[in-house]
Amino acid sequence: MELVIIMKYLYLNLAIKLAKFCRLFLAGFVLLHITISHADEQIDNHEPSCLLKVGWGEWPPYQTMIAGLPGGLQMELIKNIAKESNCQLSFIQQSFDKNQQGIRNGDIDMTLDISVTPERSEYGYFSIAYRDEVLALYVRPKDQISCRAQKLESILTNGFRLGLITNIYYGDLVDKLQNNPKVNQYILYAKVNETHYAHLGKYEIDWFVMN
């Protein structure tokens, strides 16, 4: 447990088993606004043996502000690990992109909600996955049958438009489709999933993925 918390540039990997996610998707979330606050919290009354800067983004019920302090299921897990390791945590709320850049630059020590990729493994370490993440496909009721009866590539090439989040890794299949200009033209990118609700309502996309 101590090794998990003190490794420099630690990632908490939230999803590994692609087969459970239609072999397509891994967890990730982008928060639109930049750094909001630096909330330091003393974990133990004893002198801490280390100080870790934790980059995080709002994602209830896993990560959220509670009574002015970072809380939620995942935040409590991190706090408990830090307590066992006698470490003090400094929570830095910022965007998903800034958290990745912070790991790369060494500005923060750990972050959350990151999928494993070869590129990210070059500058960060990943913890063992501690829970499975399941994402759902959001479509209009009239399109449910069409989506179920086709493969992803066929859906896109038949004119259905997909909403994805920028800089999120959704697995090898989606990555391959994103690099295919013929298919990528049907993908609309946004900073946060909430934007896709509006896109769906305006018929700018036909479906998107969200946990």
Side-chain angles (χ1 to χ4, degrees), residues 48 138 150 156 165 192:
Y138 284 69
Q150 302 180 65
L156 293 177
I165 299 300
V192 292

Side-chain angles (χ1 to χ4, degrees), residues 63-78:
Q63 301 135 216
T64 188
M65 294 295 287
I66 300 176
L69 293 173
L73 299 176
Q74 292 180 165
M75 304 300 265
E76 294 306 316
L77 173 62
I78 293 173

Side-chain angles (χ1 to χ4, degrees), residues 79-135:
K79 292 176 184 178
N80 288 334
I81 295 173
K83 184 176 181 180
E84 291 291 330
S85 303
N86 192 29
C87 282
Q88 181 179 348
L89 301 179
S90 174
F91 291 104
I92 304 171
Q93 187 176 4
Q94 56 188 10
S95 70
F96 179 84
D97 289 343
K98 284 184 176 294
N99 283 329
Q100 289 194 73
Q101 190 62 41
I103 291 291
R104 185 183 290 107
N105 296 339
D107 296 330
I108 59 175
D109 300 303
M110 59 186 295
T111 188
L112 312 161
D113 318 322
I114 306 294
S115 303
V116 180
T117 68
E119 178 186 0
R120 293 168 181 170
S121 296
E122 292 180 358
Y123 56 83
Y125 296 102
F126 290 82
S127 72
I128 298 172
Y130 55 89
R131 70 176 178 84
D132 291 331
E133 180 70 9
V134 179
L135 301 183

Side-chain angles (χ1 to χ4, degrees), residues 132-186:
D132 291 331
E133 180 70 9
V134 179
L135 301 183
L137 183 64
Y138 284 69
V139 300
R140 300 183 188 88
K142 67 181 182 67
D143 295 325
Q144 289 183 11
I145 297 178
S146 297
C147 288
R148 290 173 179 171
Q150 302 180 65
K151 294 182 178 180
L152 177 60
E153 185 172 1
S154 299
I155 292 174
L156 293 177
T157 54
N158 285 337
F160 284 87
R161 296 155 300 175
L162 170 65
L164 296 179
I165 299 300
T166 55
N167 297 324
I168 295 294
Y169 178 70
Y170 292 93
D172 293 340
L173 176 57
V174 174
D175 187 59
K176 180 180 178 180
L177 296 177
Q178 288 176 295
N179 292 321
N180 183 341
K182 183 180 178 181
V183 176
N184 193 52
Q185 63 179 315
Y186 297 108

